[in-house]
Amino acid sequence: MQKAIYTTVGIDELLSHVQVLKGVGARFVQMHAERSVDDGTYRLVYTFINVRAAQEHIAQDGSYAIENLVVEGIDQYQEIPSISSYYPAVFPFENEAHDLFGLAITDMQIDFKGFFYQVSTAEPMSVITPEVKAAREKAMKVRAAAEAKARKAAAEKAAAAAAGEGAAGAGGAAGAVVAQPAAAAGSDAQHDEAAAKAALKAAEMEAKLAAMDPEKAAKVRAALAAKAARDKQKKEA
């Protein structure tokens, strides 16, 4: 049984309540907006699960509480502070409220680093496995390192080109010499990112296979192995 708790707060109190929930480990679930047919004002409902409290409830009787923050009586032109600095996953919901109703939600923070909200806690509301989460984090680190390497190579190439323009005759040759390792670094960065994407894809597929019926998983593995063999033959041909 899910125990729903609703707390009505003012716009100026919203962030302080969200900060408290974040501090106790609450997990964001969703946010929705609706318009009152009576007076035309708007209502926002932010839904969370307090993970620590939820774990205690699950251990006791298999239930947990869903906590909701409710902001009512919002005028279309009032500024509503985004809670994305605490919970990045709220962005699609806040963006939808803006697109559908024109609500002025301010200071949205968007930084998914290539992936949407990820969790690996077993209970409640598990979204991805710990293995996939670890693979995604590793892929993000590899991608960041590759991007940094590429930026450094580009800066070195630009510096070499600038030096070449200032030198008579020999400048062009010097720029070409420095540009070669820069190009190689860019190629390495692309290779690293491709390898990271391949590792992530493999981890996600492994997670899917682990959740399948063993017999079905064996057939999928066999099909994937056959496809890999065909792809390898094509490359070698």
Side-chain angles (χ1 to χ4, degrees), residues 69-183:
L69 294 181
V70 183
V71 184
E72 296 181 317
I74 301 171
D75 181 89
Q76 187 174 14
Y77 302 103
Q78 283 183 283
E79 291 190 349
I80 306 158
S82 170
I83 70 167
S84 57
S85 58
Y86 295 101
Y87 293 99
V90 77
F91 166 70
F93 300 94
E94 291 182 335
N95 188 62
E96 181 181 53
H98 172 270
D99 290 348
L100 289 178
F101 300 113
L103 296 180
I105 300 177
T106 62
D107 197 29
M108 292 186 192
Q109 304 295 316
I110 312 170
D111 185 13
F112 295 118
K113 295 183 172 64
F115 301 102
F116 276 83
Y117 193 47
Q118 306 162 22
V119 296
S120 60
T121 305
E123 294 288 352
M125 294 185 61
S126 180
V127 176
I128 63 172
T129 65
E131 292 77 14
V132 173
K133 184 172 186 292
R136 288 183 175 182
E137 290 174 347
K138 182 178 180 180
M140 284 189 281
K141 290 179 181 178
V142 171
R143 178 181 295 175
E147 290 175 350
K149 193 173 184 180
R151 285 195 297 271
K152 182 180 179 182
E156 291 176 349
K157 184 176 181 179
E165 291 176 359
V177 170
V178 178
Q180 289 178 0

